[in-house]
Every structure is written in C-alpha cells, then in structure tokens.
C-alpha cells in the first residue's frame, strides 16, 4: 500500500492511507476473541479501546507505543471501591460484539475506498488480491501484537457472508443468456466438477502412495474428499475478477453460471466423502444413493427456491399500500429460501438463485420504481461488503490458521488442479460444440479454463472438516489456501492483460433499444413457427409454451391489477420511457430535450392528428412554435414525480419548477379568458390539434381535474388510456376557436367548452377506473405515504392515493 | 414425422437441392418426409391450407406471414424445392468457412437470414418497413390488449430509433444495423437443420 506518485498530488493520496494505517492500528486492541470469531487468546481488558479510539485520528502511531498503554492500564483493573456516582463510565463488554463487527465492516469499506483513491494500483492488481494482502497485513499485525487473529468461521461465512452475493447474482441474472446456454453451463458445472474432483483425488492418492513422502496414511476417500473440496469454481472469486475485466456476456455467463450451479455437486460430493471416509468399504448401494442424492439436492434446492419465489411474488401483489417495506419482502423470502434449503442439506445456492429468478418478473411488475431502486442498491451494497469481508478474512485466516506445509502434496495439488481444469474444459468443449449453434472458439476455451478460480467456499468447506476423522486437516487447509492464493493472485492478475492480448470480445455497454426488443420477439415467434412447420419440438417451442402458460395463468395470480395483462413489449416500452424521463431530469435538462423523446412525442401526436379530419393549414412557423411549447410542457409533466411524504425531508426540486409553471399557466389562462369573450365563431379544427396533442403525448401520467375548479382549464395528459371511439368523435365535433397569438405562450391549454360541464371533461379523463396509465402513475406516485398532501390552490390533483 | 423414411432416390433433384441449400442428405430426406406428412392429399405440393392445418401455427401471431413466405407471389402451391429453400435460411452458419469470392451468397448466411426476416416485415416488398407495416406487426404481436395510440407511439419510436436517413421508414441496411447486437446467427438457426 505505497502511495506511489500517480496523477494527482501524491501527498493528497498518501493521506487516506495514513488514515487507514492509523485505523488499523487502532483496531489492534479491539480485536478480541468473541464467540463469533474463533480464537484462543486470553481476554483483553476492555478499557483500552476507549482511549485508543481517541488516538486514532492523530498522526500515525508507532506500534510499540500502542502496545505500551495497553499493558500499563491492566493494573488498575476494575476495582469497584465505594466512590462517587460515575458520571462517565466505560462498559466495553456490553457493546463488544456489535462494535467489533462494525469495526471490521468499516475496515472493509475503508479499504475499498482506499483502493479507488489510488487508481494506479487497482488497475494492475484486482481488488480481491489487494484485499487479501490487507487481510494478511492485519492478521500479521494482530499476531505481532501477540493476539491470535480471528479465523473465518464457516458458519458466519455460509450464513451471513455468502447469501448476499449469491442473491445479488441470482436476482440480476441475465435470464435470456443463461437459459440459452443452460445446457453448456450444466455440463461444465456437473460433469466438469465431477471430473475435476475424481481426477484430482485419484492423482493425489497416487502421489500419496509414492513412498518417501510420508503421506501414505491418507486414504483414497480422504483424497477424493480433498479433490471435491478444491475442484469447485468459486462464484465469489469469479465475480470479483470477471467484473473488472468486462468480458463479453457469453463467457461471463458460462463461467459464472458454472460457478453457481456446481454448488449442488460440491455439496453432495462433500457430504458423501465425508461420510464414507470413515468406512473402509464403499458398496454399490452407497454409490447409487450418492447419485440419487445429487438429484435430490439440486432439484430439491431449486424446488424450495421456486416455492419461496412464488410466495414472494404473491405477497408483492398486495403491497401497494405499504411500499416502504417492499424490498424487505424480497430479501427475507430469498434468505428464508436459502436457510430452508440448508436446513434440509439441499443446495442453498440453487434455492437462492431459483427464488430470485422466479420472483423477479412478478415482483418488478408489482413494486414501485423506488422500491426497485432500493432493492438494487441494497443488494449491490451487501454483496460488495460481503465480498470485501470475505477476502480480508481469507487473508487473516491464512495468518491465523495452523499450517502444515508439505512440499510434495501442495505442489502436486496445484499442478494437478491446473491440468485437471484445462483437460476438463477442452474435453467438454469438444463434446459440447457438437451441439451448439455458436461454437466455442479456442480463445473462449482458454478464458473458461483460466477463469476457474477457487475461493473462500473451498476454504470454508475445508475448515469444516473435523480433526478426529481428518488428522491431515491442516495440510489440506494449507493446500487449499495455496491454491486459492495462486488462482486469485496469479490468474486474477494476469487475466486482464491476457484478455487484451488475445483480443477477446468485451462487453458491449449499450442499452437495449425498443428495436431490439421488438425484433427479438419477432424472431422468437418466427422461429417457433418454423419449428412447428418442421415438426420439431425444440427450444423455441417449449419456451413459447411456457410463455403462454405464464401469460394465461401465472401472471393473473401474481401480478396486481391491470398490469397482469400488460404485454411484455408494452412494459418494456414504458420502462424505457420512464428511464429516459428520469435521466433527463437527472441531467438537469429541464429546458433541453433529447430529440428522441420530443420528436417522437411530436410525431406521435402528429400521427393522431393526421387521422383526424384535415386541418386548415397552420402556417409553418406557428406550427413549430406550438410544437416547441408542447414539447417543453410535455417534458415537464413527465418529470412530475411525487416526493416522499414520510421519509424524506428534502423538498423535491422538481416540485418547485412544477409550481412555477403552474402559476405561469394560470396567469396565461386568465389572459386567455379575456380573449375568449370576444370570439364567437366556432372553428373546430384548429383546436383539435392542441387538445389531441395534449391528450396523446407520450406521457404516462394522468391527472383528473378538481371537480369544483369551475372554469379553470384542465390539462390532462393521458396518452395511454383506452380511448373510447365516442370520445374521439366528440373531439371532432367540438366547436373551437381559432388560435390566437396568445396561444403560443400558454402551452397546454384547453378552451372552455360550452357543451359539457366544466371540470368534468370526459374527453380528457376517460375514466376513473384502473386504466393502465392510472395504474402506472399510481405506482410512480404512490410511494410511500398513504396520505397525499393536497396542494392547495392548484387545479391539478394527482389522481388516486 | 412419417412412419416410413423416403429413399433418397425418391426425392426429385436431390443433388441440386443439396448443392443449393447446403443441407446434408439426411436432413433433406428428413425434410422430405415432413413435406409429405404435411401434404395430406399427396398431390406433391403444399397448399396454404395444409400449412394452416398445423395447430401451433394457428396460435402463432406471425403464423399467416410465415405461411405466406413459403409461397411465391400469387401462387397457391409450393413444391418441395420452395419448401426447402425457405428452411435453408435457418440452417446454422458454419464457422470458419472463409468467404470465397465468386460464390453466390449461401442461403444460410447472416445476410440471407436478415433478408428473410426483413421480407416478413415488409409485406409490400418496397424495400422499406414503413410505419404502417411496423404497426401491423405490432398489432399482430401485441394487438388486443393495447390501444392503437400506444401502438402508434411505439411504432413511431421504433422507426425513429432505427431510421438514420430520415425517410420515416426502415430500409434493409438500417434494419441490419439495428439488430447488430442480436447474434442473428444463433437466433435464426435451428440446430436440427444441419
């Protein structure tokens, strides 16, 4: 962690590091053994941490200086003699556990922060390596102090650190690519892992049998167990490394999918060999049972996940009134799925992934936009912190654990691991390519083989072995750690230059356009049709059947209200529009509009207009001016998102702009009223454009006028509502006034109609029902509070809530 | 599929078909069996009615268009040659085959696949997908649950996104560009049609 000069002032870069070092030193005395983190050190006096915490922010402390105060303060002790009532007291034991946990997490976050302040280092070395180094340093420091550093206990790892990462991966799994390559992924995961385990186990047994190494006492089964522990590709490590190299999606999903799905195989093999290692003989029944248990574990895990996913989706259907806790449902149900699967010794990872995958489409259709964002950020945050903690602990555990170094065993493990992986990938790819449409090139194969990183799961599994049955546990652990270090450091560091060298295709960072969406669906239908003509029940056929089943039955149950009938294309379109609108707002462009939205809305409007009877020609520039005004106003209405009622205290900046525009409009309207009184000749056509434009802009929000607003103009932007034919005719038949010069300044204005009662205009508010647009708007605005604040003095009241 | 497999010699113009489409003999035989199975009246060619008899095509939104693609302009019957020509488009692309200049574009190349898809959009064969044609496709695919206005907006948006020369319609080149990222070779290939 040298603050090497890079861009920016070196001194400025050094400061965070000094701070970090100081924090580390401040941590030393606080790292006491507690029930969570296993260690055998004597209990430390609690008094110290209070005083030490104060010293942390000063200049970097000398280690010895830190130690001396520790020993000095032990003597006074806690002799509670009769003295005055303590105004200020210290009770560290009371808060020790949460305090230490928080300190560790804080350390992890500060590390992450530190690495990004120094970009030069993190460009060469992947973050995971740096974190392990930090862990090593911290562990070394703790040991140097004389304490025994905590080891990553398996329970904590499997119950708390691993699930967030897996949930994050599963919830945001790119389903389309995953299912397209599912066969390949499964073969790599199942057959590949089996091959690795047996190959490695067998070879290690052979090595152990070589006389002179002192390893003959390790039986075949123990070796096979070791092989199964070390052969599994680790999702955490893969994610950590692959995320930084931005490799193309196919390779990413192949390696990552493999790392996720091999959990079932690992669990089965591990339990199998752990049981059998005690027996001398393995009968055929045992093998058959093992084989069976594989299916039970994997399919059972998936089943549990699916059940929880469906329940979560169903629950989310009713959460429209308490939007605040929606994200919590997602997290809790997924975690319960994981725990339930672990309860039955099923594959927790597969349960987690299955639940995330199943619940996602339905939950996303039901929850509000804000909840969606919350879920996304929470998952990213938790998984990021977890990952960091895991790597740091890996480093610390290396220092802390008991090691037994045996050159033969460890070196041969390393070599055979690599060989097994390469052979496995090559062999399987040769087999798989016969069935794939898009073959895997040798470059792809190389990356897949090279990306088979081992990580903390292997370590934790090794740690779980007990000493009774596995006396060579220490050696196993040492070997596991060596392999992990090798793969993470060597392979992790070199994969990026290799990817560049081999010119492997990188990920294309583009958003999905509506074109792609439409064409994708089009091609799906086309291919399904062709398959049917060929009489072949292929991939597309079953996918189509599943989609139809989903649409007909499942969506109705699990999605609230009108959204259940919304076709995927429309949902996609609206999501896209919403995203663009929000982006527009965020980029601060209240006045600027990306041409896409505006011209389209204009063209949208134009099209609708062209369906109406031909207009008498407006002069070109007048039309342009009207268009410009409409453009501006349509944008502003789109931006109108309701602020939180209960939980945010910050005033919504957009509300300000909105209020101002409303005031402006009101003034303009009053002016208009005066104008209207003089005009008597109805000339309907020219007004229809204005109103139809107002109506048919592409704004997803709809407003209903206040019933007692009298002659106040009503602007309703309700493009997506089901228009009744009558209302369209109504429009045509209305008598209107010619546009006046003032019209240009007024924006969206509706002339007061003689025919219908003011305030309730059925042309503009097609219904108080749950039309899709209203629903959509409700989802947008209905977050989170149950009571809307009516805005006084405004003719525009958001509907609903 | 038919219960008895045809003998290769029973298939007319087998060699030329294999040459033109690139299918292996086994595939041609298999497709010929299918052709005969569909041809209920054994007249040696397919009518639209035969193809419409396939149950799943009836629920396919693009069913009619696909069927029409097999028949040339104005004709009522399709012989085996035309049948297999259409299916040749969906043959997987062979990797590693270098482009030999002078050879005609293979029927299953990416460009041919795209052209076929384009033709399904472009019903009036004017070389462009107009707004109305896009609207029609959208109505087929999404149609009943959505209002016309929404579809109009989407169609507009689609055209606007893809249209680069500003003529308000999507030409073949623009279409090809907009599906660049879609991995057409994989999407428009059926593995069984080797």
């Amino acid at each position: 962690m040298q603050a090497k000069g890079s861009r920016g002032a070196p001194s400025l870069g050094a400061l965070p590091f000094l701070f970090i070092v100081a924090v580390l030193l401040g941590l030393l005395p606080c790292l006491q053994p507690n029930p969570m983190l296993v260690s055998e050190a004597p209990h430390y006096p609690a008094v110290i941490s209070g005083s030490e915490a104060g010293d942390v922010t000063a200049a970097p402390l000398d280690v010895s200086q830190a130690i001396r105060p520790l020993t000095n303060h032990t003597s006074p002790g806690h002799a509670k003699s009769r003295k005055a009532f303590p105004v200020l007291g210290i009770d560290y034991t009371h808060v020790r556990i949460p305090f230490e946990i928080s300190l560790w997490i804080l350390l992890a976050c500060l590390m992450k922060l530190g690495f990004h302040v120094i970009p030069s280092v993190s460009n060469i070395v992947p973050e995971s390596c740096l974190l392990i180094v930090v862990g090593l340093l911290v562990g070394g420091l703790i040991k140097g102090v004389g304490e025994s550093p905590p080891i990553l206990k398996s329970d904590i790892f499997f119950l708390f650190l691993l699930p967030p990462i897996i949930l994050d991966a599963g919830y945001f799994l790119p389903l389309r690519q995953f299912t397209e390559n599912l066969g390949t992924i499964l073969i790599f995961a199942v057959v590949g892992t089996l091959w690795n385990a047996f190959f490695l186990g067998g070879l290690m047994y052979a090595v152990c049998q070589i006389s002179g190494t002192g390893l003959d006492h390790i039986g075949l089964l123990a070796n096979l167990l070791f092989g199964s522990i070390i052969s599994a590709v680790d999702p955490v490590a893969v994610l950590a490394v692959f995320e930084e190299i931005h490799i193309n999606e196919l390779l990413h999903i192949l390696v990552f999918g493999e790392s996720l799905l091999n959990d079932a195989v690992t669990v089965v093999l591990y339990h199998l060999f752990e049981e059998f290692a005690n027996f001398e003989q393995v009968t055929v029944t045992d093998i058959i049972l093992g084989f069976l248990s594989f299916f039970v574990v994997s399919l059972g895990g998936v089943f549990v996940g699916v059940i929880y996913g469906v329940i979560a989706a169903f629950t989310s259907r009713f959460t429209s009134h308490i939007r605040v806790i929606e994200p919590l449902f997602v997290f809790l149900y997924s975690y319960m799925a994981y725990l339930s699967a672990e309860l039955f010794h099923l594959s927790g990872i597969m349960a987690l992934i299955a639940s995330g995958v199943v619940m996602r489409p339905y939950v996303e259709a039901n929850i509000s936009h804000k909840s969606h964002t919350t879920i996304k950020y929470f998952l990213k945050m938790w998984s990021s912190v977890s990952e960091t903690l895991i790597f740091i602990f890996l480093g610390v555990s290396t220092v802390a654990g008991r090691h037994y170094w045996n050159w033969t065993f460890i070196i041969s493990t390393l070599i055979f691991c690599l060989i097994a992986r390469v052979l496995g990938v090559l062999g399987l790819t040769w087999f798989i390519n016969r069935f794939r449409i898009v073959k895997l090139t040798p470059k792809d194969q190389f990356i897949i083989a090279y990306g088979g990183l081992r990580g903390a799961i292997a370590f934790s599994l090794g740690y779980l072995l007990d000493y009774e049955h596995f006396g060579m546990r220490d050696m196993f652990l040492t070997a596991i750690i060596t392999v992990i270090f090798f793969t993470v450091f060597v392979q992790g560091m070199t994969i990026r230059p290799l990817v560049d060298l081999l010119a492997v295709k990188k990920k294309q960072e583009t958003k999905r356009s509506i074109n792609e969406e439409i064409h994708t669906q089009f091609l799906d239908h086309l291919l399904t049709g062709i398959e049917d003509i060929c009489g072949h029940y292929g991939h597309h056929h079953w996918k189509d059947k599943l989609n139809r089943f989903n649409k007909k039955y499942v969506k109705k149950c699990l999605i609230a209200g009108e959204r259940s009938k919304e076709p995927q294309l429309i949902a996609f379109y609206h999501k896209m529009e919403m995203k663009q609108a929000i982006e527009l707002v965020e980029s601060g462009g209240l006045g600027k509009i990306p041409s896409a939205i505006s011209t389209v809305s204009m063209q949208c409007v134009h099209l609708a207009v062209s369906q109406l009877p031909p207009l008498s020609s407006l002069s070109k520039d007048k039309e342009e001016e009207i268009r410009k005004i409409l453009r501006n106003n349509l944008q502003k209405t789109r931006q109108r998102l309701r602020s939180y009622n209960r939980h945010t205290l910050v005033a919504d900046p957009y509300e300000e702009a909105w209020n101002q525009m409303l005031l402006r409009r009101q003034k303009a309207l009053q002016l208009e009223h005066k104008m209207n009184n003089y005009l008597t000749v109805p000339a309907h056509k020219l007004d229809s454009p204005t109103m139809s434009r107002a109506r048919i802009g592409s704004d997803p929000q709809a407003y209903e006028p206040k019933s007692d607003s009298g002659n106040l103009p009503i602007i309703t932007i309700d493009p997506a509502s089901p228009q009744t034919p009558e209302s369209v005719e109504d429009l045509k038949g209305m008598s209107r006034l010619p546009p006046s010069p003032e019209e240009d300044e007024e924006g969206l204005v509706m002339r007061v109609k003689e025919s219908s009662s003011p305030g309730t205009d059925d042309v503009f508010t097609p219904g108080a029902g749950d039309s899709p647009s209203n629903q959509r708007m409700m989802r947008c605005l209905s977050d989170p509070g149950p009571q809307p604040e009516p805005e006084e003095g405004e003719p525009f009241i958001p509907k609903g809530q | 599929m038919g219960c008895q497999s045809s003998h290769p010699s029973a298939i007319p113009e087998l060699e030329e078909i294999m040459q033109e489409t690139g299918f292996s003999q086994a595939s041609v035989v298999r497709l010929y069996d299918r052709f005969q199975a569909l041809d209920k009246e054994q007249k040696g060619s397919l009518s639209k009615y035969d193809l419409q008899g396939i149950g799943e095509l009836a629920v396919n939104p693009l069913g009619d268009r696909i069927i029409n693609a097999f028949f040339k302009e104005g004709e009522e019957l399709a012989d085996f040659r035309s049948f297999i020509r259409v299916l040749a488009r969906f043959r997987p692309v062979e990797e590693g085959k270098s482009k030999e200049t002078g050879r005609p574009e293979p029927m299953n190349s990416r460009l041919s696949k795209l052209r076929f898809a384009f033709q399904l959009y472009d019903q009036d064969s004017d070389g462009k997908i107009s707004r109305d044609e896009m609207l029609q496709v959208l109505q087929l695919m999404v149609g009943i649950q959505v209002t016309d206005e929404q579809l109009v907006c989407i169609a507009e948006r689609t055209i606007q996104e893809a249209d680069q020369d500003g003529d308000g319609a999507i030409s073949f080149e623009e279409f090809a560009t907009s599906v660049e990222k879609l991995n057409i070779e994989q999407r428009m290939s059926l593995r069984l049609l080797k």
Side-chain angles (χ1 to χ4, degrees):
Chain A
M1 297 199 304
Q2 315 282 346
K4 287 254 181 328
S6 55
R7 5 196 155 107
S11 55
L12 207 55
L15 200 55
F17 268 125
L18 293 179
F19 178 63
I20 290 168
V21 171
V23 167
L24 280 180
L25 292 171
L27 273 176
L28 291 177
C30 305
L31 291 169
Q32 308 193 19
N34 60 43
M36 305 267 288
L37 305 170
V38 163
S39 159
E40 295 93 344
H43 175 72
Y44 236 25
V47 156
I48 313 310
S49 56
S51 54
E52 276 302 312
D55 296 337
V56 166
T57 46
L61 299 170
D62 194 25
V63 180
S64 49
Q65 276 179 5
I67 299 177
R68 232 169 284 123
L70 298 172
T71 43
N72 280 345
H73 289 190
T74 34
S75 19
H78 303 270
K80 280 259 189 283
S81 53
R82 177 88 175 81
K83 49 186 190 185
F85 183 78
V87 176
L88 194 63
I90 294 180
D91 187 5
Y92 183 59
T93 47
H94 185 58
V95 297
R96 200 181 68 189
I97 296 176
F99 194 81
E100 286 174 7
I101 298 176
S102 310
L103 270 179
W104 275 107
I105 300 182
L106 191 60
L107 171 70
C109 299
L110 286 171
M111 285 301 110
K112 252 185 129 59
L113 199 65
F115 296 146
H116 285 286
V117 172
I118 315 287
S120 59
V121 184
S122 53
N123 276 339
I124 310 172
V125 184
E127 219 174 85
S128 39
C129 303
L130 290 172
L131 289 169
I132 294 186
V133 169
V134 167
L136 285 173
L137 283 174
V138 172
L141 281 171
I142 298 178
K143 214 167 196 182
V145 174
E147 271 290 297
S148 161
I151 299 186
L152 180 65
K153 202 154 185 273
S154 297
D155 270 351
I156 304 176
F157 176 73
F158 279 117
L159 290 181
F160 299 111
L161 291 179
L162 190 61
I165 303 179
I166 305 294
L167 180 59
D168 179 39
Y171 195 77
F172 293 110
L173 196 66
L175 199 57
R176 194 164 245 271
Q177 276 116 337
F178 188 72
T179 45
E180 272 173 16
N181 294 301
L182 191 60
T184 315
I185 293 177
L186 274 177
I187 290 185
F188 272 126
V190 177
V191 182
T193 313
L194 281 173
W195 156 260
N196 274 350
F198 281 102
F199 183 75
L200 191 66
L203 276 183
M204 290 316 296
Y205 181 62
V207 164
C208 287
Q209 298 300 76
I210 300 175
S211 58
T213 54
L215 297 168
D216 338 7
H217 57 284
I218 308 177
L220 174 66
L221 285 168
N223 273 307
L224 284 176
L225 176 60
F226 176 71
S228 67
I229 293 177
I230 199 126
S231 62
V233 178
D234 186 81
V236 181
V238 164
L239 259 181
V241 169
F242 269 47
E243 204 148 298
E244 297 182 2
I245 58 179
H246 297 298
I247 208 165
N248 70 47
E249 285 175 349
L250 172 67
L251 287 179
H252 187 214
I253 198 73
L254 281 180
V255 181
F256 185 60
E258 178 194 345
S259 69
L260 288 176
L261 294 187
N262 67 18
D263 178 63
V265 182
T266 313
V267 164
V268 170
L269 283 180
Y270 180 80
H271 284 298
L272 208 63
F273 290 132
E274 203 192 11
E275 285 286 319
F276 293 164
N278 305 328
F279 310 146
E280 292 306 317
Q281 290 268 36
V282 178
T283 63
V284 183
T285 12
D286 294 327
I287 298 182
I288 293 183
L289 283 178
F291 192 65
L292 222 58
S293 100
F294 166 69
F295 284 106
V296 169
V297 162
S298 53
L299 294 177
V302 171
F303 180 68
V304 169
V306 167
I307 297 234
Y308 274 100
V310 169
I311 298 179
F314 190 66
T315 312
S316 72
R317 188 180 163 180
F318 303 105
T319 56
S320 52
H321 300 292
I322 7 162
R323 296 240 180 236
V324 226
I325 59 176
E326 270 173 345
L328 208 52
F329 280 119
V330 172
F331 301 141
L332 284 175
Y333 277 116
S334 311
Y335 194 47
M336 292 279 290
Y338 179 75
L339 293 176
S340 309
E342 289 287 321
L343 177 67
F344 295 108
H345 271 296
L346 302 172
S347 166
I349 290 185
M350 299 194 79
L352 207 47
I353 298 197
S355 79
V357 162
V358 165
M359 74 166 78
R360 186 179 180 202
Y362 308 109
V363 162
E364 292 210 335
N366 283 329
I367 62 178
S368 70
H369 183 73
K370 283 184 173 133
S371 295
H372 172 77
T373 313
T374 309
I375 292 180
K376 188 165 85 164
Y377 276 101
F378 259 84
L379 282 179
K380 296 285 173 207
M381 178 184 82
W382 272 330
S383 65
S384 177
V385 168
S386 268
E387 200 180 286
T388 316
L389 273 176
I390 288 178
F391 282 116
I392 290 186
F393 267 117
L394 213 50
V396 173
S397 307
T398 312
V399 174
R402 282 194 284 238
H403 292 294
Y404 180 76
W405 184 271
N406 181 310
W407 279 100
T408 337
F409 190 79
I410 293 176
I411 300 296
S412 45
T413 305
L414 200 54
I415 298 179
F416 290 141
C417 251
L418 294 172
I419 296 180
R421 177 80 182 157
V422 171
L423 285 181
V425 169
L426 284 177
L428 287 176
T429 317
W430 173 82
F431 177 69
I432 288 171
N433 269 345
R434 291 177 30 200
F435 298 99
R436 278 181 71 88
I437 301 177
V438 175
K439 319 270 183 211
L440 293 173
T441 64
K443 247 192 262 178
D444 294 336
Q445 293 172 35
F446 176 74
I447 297 290
I448 294 176
Y450 209 67
L453 308 172
R454 307 330 197 242
I457 290 187
F459 178 78
S460 305
L461 283 177
Y463 193 79
L464 275 178
L465 297 171
D466 60 4
Y467 271 111
E468 271 181 47
H469 299 133
F470 299 99
M472 71 299 287
R473 176 178 173 264
D474 292 331
M475 190 172 66
F476 281 177
L477 274 180
T478 314
I480 293 174
I481 287 187
T482 315
V483 174
I484 294 178
F485 271 41
F486 182 82
T487 54
V488 172
F489 277 91
V490 174
Q491 287 179 235
M493 272 200 268
T494 52
I495 200 169
R496 198 190 306 206
L498 275 175
V499 160
D500 290 332
L501 194 70
L502 293 176
V504 180
K505 261 197 295 191
K506 293 267 177 97
K507 182 155 72 164
Q508 294 159 317
E509 291 288 350
T510 44
K511 280 181 253 172
R512 213 166 152 74
S513 68
I514 184 101
N515 260 288
E516 285 178 7
E517 184 71 23
I518 292 182
H519 295 318
T520 310
Q521 279 202 21
F522 184 86
L523 289 177
D524 275 344
H525 287 303
L526 173 61
L527 265 283
T528 313
I530 298 285
E531 267 188 12
D532 291 328
I533 290 182
C534 292
H536 170 65
Y537 286 156
H539 177 67
H540 291 94
H541 177 90
W542 294 117
K543 203 158 74 159
D544 192 57
K545 271 218 156 85
L546 185 68
N547 275 338
R548 236 176 288 145
F549 172 73
N550 187 20
K551 208 189 298 191
K552 204 158 159 206
Y553 299 111
V554 184
K555 274 193 179 169
K556 290 215 174 75
C557 293
L558 299 179
I559 300 184
E562 278 291 313
R563 302 264 309 170
S564 59
K565 297 206 202 74
E566 196 177 30
Q568 187 196 353
L569 201 59
I570 307 297
F572 177 83
Y573 177 68
H574 282 301
K575 217 196 291 187
M576 200 173 61
E577 287 274 292
M578 192 77 86
K579 251 190 248 173
Q580 271 187 328
I582 293 179
E583 269 169 25
L584 180 73
V585 164
E586 281 174 359
S587 68
L590 275 182
K592 307 170 244 150
I593 314 102
S595 58
I597 300 182
S598 58
T599 358
V600 173
S601 353
M602 282 306 101
Q603 286 183 353
C604 248
V605 158
H606 206 60
L607 184 77
V609 165
S610 63
Q611 288 169 352
L612 297 171
L615 323 162
S616 58
S617 55
L618 276 175
S619 63
K620 271 288 168 185
D621 41 358
K622 256 225 173 103
E623 228 186 74
E624 194 40 59
E625 267 186 288
I626 297 178
R627 277 215 186 105
K628 195 173 68 172
I629 290 157
L630 283 172
R631 210 180 292 153
N632 285 329
N633 290 321
L634 277 178
Q635 280 316 112
K636 283 178 183 157
T637 44
R638 192 202 304 266
Q639 290 155 14
R640 172 92 173 95
L641 289 178
R642 201 102 175 278
S643 55
Y644 269 108
N645 282 326
R646 192 183 140 199
H647 301 288
T648 47
L649 310 164
V650 180
D652 197 329
Y654 314 131
E655 258 174 320
E656 279 306 305
W658 179 246
N659 291 340
Q660 296 213 357
M661 190 185 70
L662 291 176
L663 285 170
R664 222 177 347 115
R665 227 177 254 165
Q666 263 184 297
K667 284 197 205 114
L669 282 161
Q670 281 160 12
L671 195 59
E672 235 298 293
H673 274 302
K674 291 184 198 144
M675 285 291 302
N676 278 351
N677 292 334
Y678 297 118
L679 302 167
T680 52
V681 177
H684 69 271
K685 306 157 201 160
L686 293 173
D687 278 308
S688 339
T690 316
M691 284 183 282
S692 59
R693 276 175 206 168
R695 187 163 33 94
I696 308 171
S698 51
D699 198 301
Q701 300 178 355
Y703 292 86
E704 223 178 19
K706 217 188 222 166
S707 44
D708 53 350
S709 58
N711 280 344
L712 285 172
I714 299 139
I715 298 178
T716 312
I717 324 291
D718 187 16
S721 59
Q723 287 286 323
T724 57
E726 304 88 65
S727 58
V728 176
E729 256 106 79
D730 224 341
L731 191 56
K732 293 184 196 165
M734 268 193 307
S735 46
R736 283 293 158 254
L737 315 156
S740 50
E742 275 81 4
E743 183 194 319
D744 299 338
E745 271 74 55
E746 280 143 336
L748 292 165
V749 177
M750 180 187 122
R751 305 289 188 274
V752 178
K753 242 180 8 170
E754 306 89 79
S755 41
S756 53
S757 59
T760 55
D761 192 342
D762 51 350
V763 176
F764 287 82
T765 57
D770 283 325
S771 56
S773 59
N774 289 341
Q775 279 261 313
R776 209 165 13 254
M777 186 215 66
M778 279 170 69
R779 280 173 65 237
C780 213
L781 302 185
S782 64
D783 211 344
Q787 271 109 8
E789 302 154 0
E791 276 140 17
E792 298 307 323
E794 268 193 31
F796 308 95
I797 288 197
K799 182 184 182 277
Q801 272 293 304
Chain B
M1 299 282 216
C3 34
Q4 91 278 16
S5 187
S6 319
H7 195 266
S9 59
I11 304 172
E13 306 169 332
L14 178 63
E15 282 303 321
E16 288 136 354
I17 291 179
M18 282 171 62
Q19 179 81 349
E20 187 187 358
T21 61
F23 278 126
S24 66
Q25 188 175 349
S27 296
V28 178
V29 170
R30 189 176 21 188
L31 289 173
Y32 190 70
D33 289 335
R34 178 65 180 166
F35 178 80
Q36 288 193 312
L38 287 173
D39 180 15
K40 297 196 181 50
E41 295 143 22
Q42 297 298 319
K43 50 187 186 302
S45 50
L46 288 179
S47 70
K48 290 193 187 172
Y49 184 68
D50 289 325
L51 285 178
Q52 282 161 356
I54 305 175
E56 289 87 357
L57 269 188
V59 275
N60 193 322
L62 300 178
D64 283 332
R65 288 196 182 205
I66 300 175
I67 293 177
N68 289 338
F70 281 91
F71 298 89
K72 289 204 199 53
E73 196 69 41
E75 283 188 17
E76 282 298 315
L77 296 174
D79 62 352
F80 181 61
R81 198 89 190 248
S82 332
F83 180 73
I84 205 168
R85 261 201 206 112
V86 171
L87 295 180
R89 313 272 180 179
F90 295 91
R91 202 161 69 83
V93 179
E94 286 120 27
E95 298 266 334
K97 249 200 177 156
S98 56
K99 266 212 171 71
E100 299 165 26
T101 54
R103 277 189 77 190
E105 183 91 23
M107 295 193 82
N108 66 335
S109 71
R110 183 196 168 94
L111 217 53
S112 312
K113 291 182 201 278
L114 282 177
R115 220 170 258 291
F116 183 76
F118 190 77
Q119 275 161 12
L120 283 184
Y121 272 107
D122 182 21
Q123 291 285 290
D124 56 5
S125 308
D126 61 352
K128 290 186 186 303
I129 306 178
S130 71
R131 198 181 300 139
D132 290 321
E133 286 166 344
M134 180 60 82
L135 194 59
Q136 276 169 28
V137 169
L138 282 174
Q139 272 168 342
L140 282 177
M141 292 206 295
V142 172
I144 15 168
Q145 300 124 335
V146 176
T147 64
D148 273 349
E149 275 83 14
Q150 264 183 315
L151 287 180
V152 160
C153 280
I154 297 179
E156 266 301 313
R157 180 58 178 272
T158 313
I159 304 246
Q160 211 255 344
E161 224 178 44
D163 194 14
Q164 281 150 11
D165 53 11
D167 57 356
I170 306 181
S171 70
F172 180 66
E173 287 74 30
E174 289 159 355
F175 177 71
T177 321
S178 65
V179 296
E180 235 170 16
K181 299 187 198 71
L182 274 188
N183 196 1
I184 295 288
E185 288 96 333
Q186 186 175 14
R187 270 190 212 285
M188 283 187 72
S189 302
L190 286 178
R191 212 189 312 127
L192 102 134
L193 298 173
K194 275 282 171 58

